Amino acid sequence: MLPVGSPSVAEVVRYRLRVRGQVQGVGFRPFAYRLATELGLGGWVRNDGRGVDMEVQGPLPDLERLMRDLRLKAPPLARVEGIEVREMAPHPSCPDFLIEKSRTGMVRTRVSPDAAVCDACLEELFDPPDRRYRYPFINCTHCGPRYTIIGALPYDRPNTAMAGFWLCPECRREYGEPLDRRFHAEPVACPTCGPQLTLHDGEGLALAVPDVLAAALGLIRAGQVLAVKGLGGFHLVCDARQGEAVARLRAAKNRNEKPFAVMAANRASLAPWVRCDDQAALLLESTARPIVLLPREPGGDDPFPGVAPRLAWIGVMLPYTPLHYLLFHEAAGRPCGTAWLRQPQDLVLVCTSGNPGGEPLATDNDEAFRRLHGLADAYVVHDRDILVRCDDSVLQSNRGAPVFIRRARGYAPAPIKLPAAGPSVLALGGTLKNTICLTRGDEAFVSQHLGDLDNVAACTALEETVEHLLKVLDIRPERVAHDLHPDFHSSRFALAFAAAHGLPAVAVQHHHAHIAAVMAEHALRGSCLGLALDGVGLGSDGTPWGGELLRVEEGGFQRLGHLRPLALPGGDRAAREPWRMAASALHALGRSSEIIHRFPHEGAEVVARMLERGINAPFTSSAGRIFDAAAGLLGVKDRANFEGQAAMLLEGLALCRGGTPPLGDGYVLGENGILDLLPLLDHLADLADPDLGAAIFHATLAGGLVEWAAQACARTGIGRVALGGGCFLNGILRTAVREGLERMGIEVYEARRLPPNDGGLSLGQAWVAQAFLLQKE
């Protein structure tokens, strides 16, 4: 909108423009310079802590066109959220449009996520006459590292990991030329002045090889495991077609059956083995380049032995750094041009996080030599520092809109718009799949995925991330939020941080935070019902919850109901051994005599006695443990090798079976708000066909949840339901519940910009804490 009282078209006017959004590190200044120059406008543009600042002078129609084009024709990585306009007195003599030096100040702008190498850079990368031919660090204003190399804002070269690389004359010319694609591309470099690759052996000793990439590919072809330094950390890489190499990597990482992701040169290279619809293709080929879970094609041999044992999906990603592309280029025989990128390529790589199991990613070269010793046979490293640790993002795209499993590289820390502006909050998340969240006004900045806080290194990484985001975003929180569980490291750190800075701290119940996260993302105000289904979270009554029907208000919640609790024989051990939950279900059904015969495991007699006497068998309403009980009763999985494995296998079987009607009497809705699924588990206990059982389980569970929530909507008069918690990563359940409620005219809201699992908790905590503060004002 133009200011009130704008001058007539014939007059020369001058406006001060403030462009807000993701506008630094994306080529916005040269873009604005080109627009203004083409229109013959005078003035200037510069970066500062709040975004892009401009003054422009010229005829009113030209200024109107400039402001329209600033929004509609912005560079690919830019996100313009608003343009503030202030009229100024025209200068009597206005010089040509200039790009001025950046200014510092209070930071209000965005930090751009990393972006995959663009097509223009790929053209140069594979063009032999080009001076950046096969240079592994080629980039421009439209692509390359951003978040992972930023030490401070404004986003200028001295504030990045490129500060120590002096530009050669040719690169300096490009960097200083407003009409060049590399104008103020902060990571700009070439073979003369930029970072370099080196190859090291398994002990970290540098190897003198004529071509690092050729030597690296030779090692991969020979069945070796390489640690390769990327954007946000190291990857461990091997040939996905060599089962022995995959098995060695799995054993070295102590990964058991947890799936690996694979990297292929393009979609065509995976076409025979996975299904990739248009939505999945858009995700795979986006600038974020996440790992996308793709369903396997039925039948045929597995070309990637040991990559994702028994699972119905494979995690797939495409190259996103020049280094990745150059490995595939080497394998293809170094063809000229980019036509080869559209043809199937034989090389497929396992590409997994470069860390010992459960620890944070290695980022520093010497750190990698030390921490990855014994996991990698050789190292491909470079001398550009990684300032921010950032793992690959993971999404699933089947059945409806994409859903985050892990939000990190390519997306973090892009902000989420909150329903209202409020005081700044630091929220510390939970203990699994941890993230942190910082709010500023009506924006919430959720960090990259930090992982499980079950070791010292992971806890240290959490604290480093807090320090870095506070610094980069220049936020001084007014309140600290954390999980209700007092023994989480995130909770202890939150309380220590609050005490050190004289801030109030608020504990937010786990499932309240799950639903609040969905409400915050969708800017929902007022009351909303929530189905919160996950593995476990401490309830406000001190017991473990996990299958909850909540009424959530801004800043508060009411528990309307929950799943009928089952005992956890052996406590947390029951979450790792689904047969124990199956035994618990049999006990609840009065079929305890079957436990020892059905589960001939060591400890079965002890489990039966625990259940009989109620010793070391606390009760939980967890939906995740209902999935475990079903998997155990159907013989799908007795012992899980990673979190959620039994549920994933169960979903895979149901997908293979296809649609099945729900069990007519598979659940009971009690007047006390309890959804009892014991009739369903009783039926599964007598089924010999696990595929059929898995399909019936999903259909009946979804039917029960829909009726449960719909009855609550009718009682409360609230016509909207939010779905939160890790169980809603299950595509069958999520789709069936959503469609069932929508058929009844109920509005359904799901996590879209964050995972529904614990990766979204910090956002929910922040919104609840901010709502508390707003209510007190």
Side-chain angles (χ1 to χ4, degrees):
M1 296 289 292
L2 295 179
V4 176
S6 296
S8 67
V9 169
E11 292 180 287
V12 170
V13 295
R14 188 177 186 90
Y15 288 141
R16 183 73 172 264
L17 305 180
R18 162 71 59 190
V19 186
R20 294 182 287 102
Q22 186 172 296
V23 290
Q24 288 192 17
V26 294
F28 201 89
R29 285 179 300 168
F31 160 68
Y33 173 89
R34 285 192 293 271
L35 289 181
T37 301
E38 289 169 2
L39 291 169
L41 301 174
W44 50 261
V45 61
R46 67 188 174 210
N47 281 343
D48 64 14
R50 298 177 59 200
V52 169
D53 191 19
M54 299 175 61
E55 283 191 14
V56 287
Q57 179 169 318
L60 179 60
D62 292 338
L63 264 65
E64 290 176 332
R65 180 178 171 186
L66 173 78
M67 289 187 286
R68 182 178 66 247
D69 288 351
L70 285 174
R71 290 178 179 275
L72 300 180
K73 298 181 180 180
L77 300 182
R79 302 290 182 272
V80 177
E81 291 199 350
I83 301 177
E84 300 170 10
V85 184
R86 180 161 58 93
E87 186 177 349
M88 305 182 70
H91 289 184
S93 176
C94 185
D96 292 340
F97 199 84
L98 302 173
I99 297 179
E100 293 193 346
K101 186 177 179 181
S102 297
R103 289 188 175 184
T104 57
M106 184 181 68
V107 175
R108 297 293 297 177
T109 190
R110 306 285 177 77
V111 179
S112 301
D114 297 323
V117 60
C118 69
D119 290 343
C121 283
L122 289 177
E123 292 284 351
E124 297 172 346
L125 187 65
F126 303 124
D127 180 14
D130 193 278
R131 72 189 190 94
R132 291 188 176 90
Y133 175 61
R134 290 181 57 79
Y135 180 56
F137 304 96
I138 191 171
N139 69 87
C140 69
T141 54
H142 305 313
C143 67
R146 297 290 190 278
Y147 180 47
T148 53
I149 63 168
I150 292 176
L153 288 179
Y155 177 61
D156 288 328
R157 195 175 179 97
N159 292 330
T160 74
M162 296 299 294
F165 294 93
W166 296 98
L167 293 169
C168 69
E170 185 62 20
C171 284
R172 182 167 296 281
R173 182 196 63 76
E174 295 170 330
Y175 185 83
E177 170 51 58
L179 297 180
D180 194 283
R181 199 175 87 249
R182 293 188 170 89
F183 176 75
H184 276 260
E186 308 307 342
V188 68
C190 75
T192 301
C193 63
Q196 302 294 325
L197 287 182
T198 52
L199 181 67
H200 296 247
D201 67 14
E203 300 301 318
L205 300 175
L207 299 173
V209 294
D211 188 299
V212 171
L213 291 163
L217 180 66
L219 292 172
I220 291 171
R221 293 290 201 200
Q224 301 292 291
V225 175
L226 267 61
V228 180
K229 190 175 183 179
L231 287 183
F234 278 76
H235 280 129
L236 289 169
V237 174
C238 70
D239 190 337
R241 299 182 191 276
Q242 297 191 38
E244 186 176 337
V246 175
R248 280 202 311 114
L249 176 57
R250 187 174 291 287
K253 286 201 71 171
N254 192 27
R255 201 173 170 99
N256 295 319
E257 296 177 333
K258 193 172 183 179
F260 288 131
V262 299
M263 178 182 285
N266 49 38
R267 292 166 56 194
S269 301
L270 287 160
W273 303 289
V274 295
R275 296 195 298 276
C276 182
D277 59 21
D278 291 342
Q279 180 192 79
L282 286 174
L283 291 174
L284 281 171
E285 296 169 353
S286 70
T287 59
R289 286 293 202 281
I291 297 170
V292 181
L293 297 189
L294 299 180
R296 296 177 188 260
E297 288 287 3
D301 296 331
D302 186 353
F304 314 122
V307 167
R310 297 180 60 194
L311 293 181
W313 311 267
I314 296 179
V316 175
M317 60 178 153
L318 302 184
Y320 56 86
T321 69
L323 175 55
H324 295 148
Y325 276 102
L326 287 170
L327 284 172
F328 290 101
H329 186 241
E330 187 72 30
R334 300 192 181 186
C336 296
T338 58
W340 67 276
L341 285 172
R342 295 182 288 277
Q343 301 162 359
Q345 302 297 321
D346 181 68
L347 180 66
V348 178
L349 301 171
V350 164
C351 210
T352 191
S353 303
N355 58 342
E359 294 185 10
L361 282 171
T363 56
D364 178 74
N365 295 348
D366 290 337
E367 173 199 7
F369 299 151
R370 183 180 71 255
R371 291 178 56 211
L372 303 183
H373 185 267
L375 279 75
D377 299 305
Y379 301 82
V380 177
V381 304
H382 56 75
D383 52 350
R384 184 180 68 200
D385 290 338
I386 296 171
L387 299 186
V388 180
R389 183 182 287 109
C390 198
D391 214 333
D392 295 311
S393 295
V394 184
L395 292 99
Q396 56 177 215
S397 69
N398 58 319
R399 295 185 172 227
V403 176
F404 277 101
I405 297 173
R406 184 169 77 196
R407 180 181 180 268
R409 179 192 51 74
Y411 298 96
I416 293 169
K417 201 81 166 175
L418 294 173
S424 292
V425 176
L426 166 64
L428 276 301
T431 193
L432 301 177
K433 305 170 184 65
N434 182 262
T435 62
I436 68 163
C437 178
L438 278 166
T439 69
R440 186 178 67 193
D442 61 353
E443 294 178 319
F445 297 85
V446 179
S447 75
Q448 70 274 25
H449 167 87
L450 301 176
D452 299 347
L453 304 182
D454 55 5
N455 58 72
V456 173
C459 294
T460 301
L462 163 72
E463 297 171 16
E464 291 172 347
T465 302
V466 171
E467 180 181 0
H468 184 264
L469 274 182
L470 286 171
K471 175 186 175 184
V472 168
L473 297 172
D474 193 23
I475 293 175
R476 294 172 177 81
E478 300 173 50
R479 174 163 287 209
V480 181
H482 59 90
D483 193 88
L484 187 62
H485 201 300
D487 294 331
F488 289 169
H489 175 76
S490 56
S491 298
R492 294 194 296 267
F493 176 76
L495 293 171
F497 184 96
H501 294 82
L503 301 174
V506 57
V508 181
Q509 197 279 325
H510 191 92
H511 301 93
H512 180 196
H514 271 312
I515 302 305
V518 179
M519 293 177 66
E521 177 187 336
H522 290 279
L524 301 181
R525 306 296 299 268
S527 300
C528 184
L529 298 188
L531 284 174
L533 309 180
D534 65 1
V536 67
L538 183 66
S540 52
D541 61 0
T543 66
W545 293 5
E548 311 305 315
L549 177 59
L550 307 179
R551 174 176 180 157
V552 177
E553 318 282 346
E554 292 177 19
F557 81 99
Q558 177 187 0
R559 192 188 195 194
L560 300 181
H562 56 84
L563 299 184
R564 173 173 173 159
L566 283 178
L568 289 166
D572 289 344
R573 188 171 177 181
R576 301 187 297 272
E577 300 181 9
W579 74 268
R580 289 176 177 253
M581 292 310 304
S584 178
L586 290 174
H587 172 75
L589 289 164
R591 301 172 62 170
S592 296
S593 60
E594 301 176 30
I595 293 175
I596 297 173
H597 303 293
R598 291 183 68 129
F599 306 110
H601 302 300
E602 182 180 354
E605 292 185 15
V606 175
V607 165
R609 287 198 298 271
M610 284 180 184
L611 292 166
E612 194 66 36
R613 300 173 185 176
I615 299 172
N616 193 22
F619 281 86
T620 179
S621 58
S622 167
R625 303 293 78 79
I626 297 291
F627 274 87
D628 289 342
L633 290 170
L634 292 168
V636 172
K637 192 69 178 174
D638 279 0
R639 289 186 171 87
N641 288 305
F642 60 89
E643 185 193 7
Q645 183 184 22
M648 292 171 70
L649 293 172
L650 203 64
E651 184 184 5
L653 293 177
L655 282 172
C656 291
R657 175 75 189 199
T660 301
L663 193 65
D665 54 356
Y667 58 86
V668 176
L669 282 174
E671 294 183 0
N672 54 1
I674 293 177
L675 173 59
D676 184 354
L677 295 164
L678 279 181
L680 169 61
L681 297 178
D682 193 25
H683 181 79
L684 299 183
D686 297 323
L687 271 183
D689 183 348
D691 291 23
L692 175 61
I696 290 173
F697 171 77
H698 281 82
T700 308
L701 173 59
L705 293 171
V706 167
E707 185 176 348
W708 192 33
Q711 287 189 7
C713 287
R715 287 197 308 273
T716 62
I718 299 171
R720 57 189 188 183
V721 176
L723 310 181
C727 290
F728 283 113
L729 288 173
N730 184 303
I732 299 176
L733 181 68
R734 183 177 67 250
T735 303
V737 170
R738 181 185 67 245
E739 292 179 351
L741 289 171
E742 287 177 343
R743 282 195 294 270
M744 298 181 176
I746 297 169
E747 297 177 12
V748 181
Y749 297 90
E750 304 171 57
R752 286 286 179 258
R753 298 192 61 192
L754 289 176
N757 61 25
D758 287 7
L761 282 178
S762 63
L763 174 63
Q765 293 169 353
W767 174 232
V768 170
Q770 195 179 79
F772 279 149
L773 286 170
L774 289 171
Q775 289 172 356
K776 289 184 177 181
E777 293 181 349

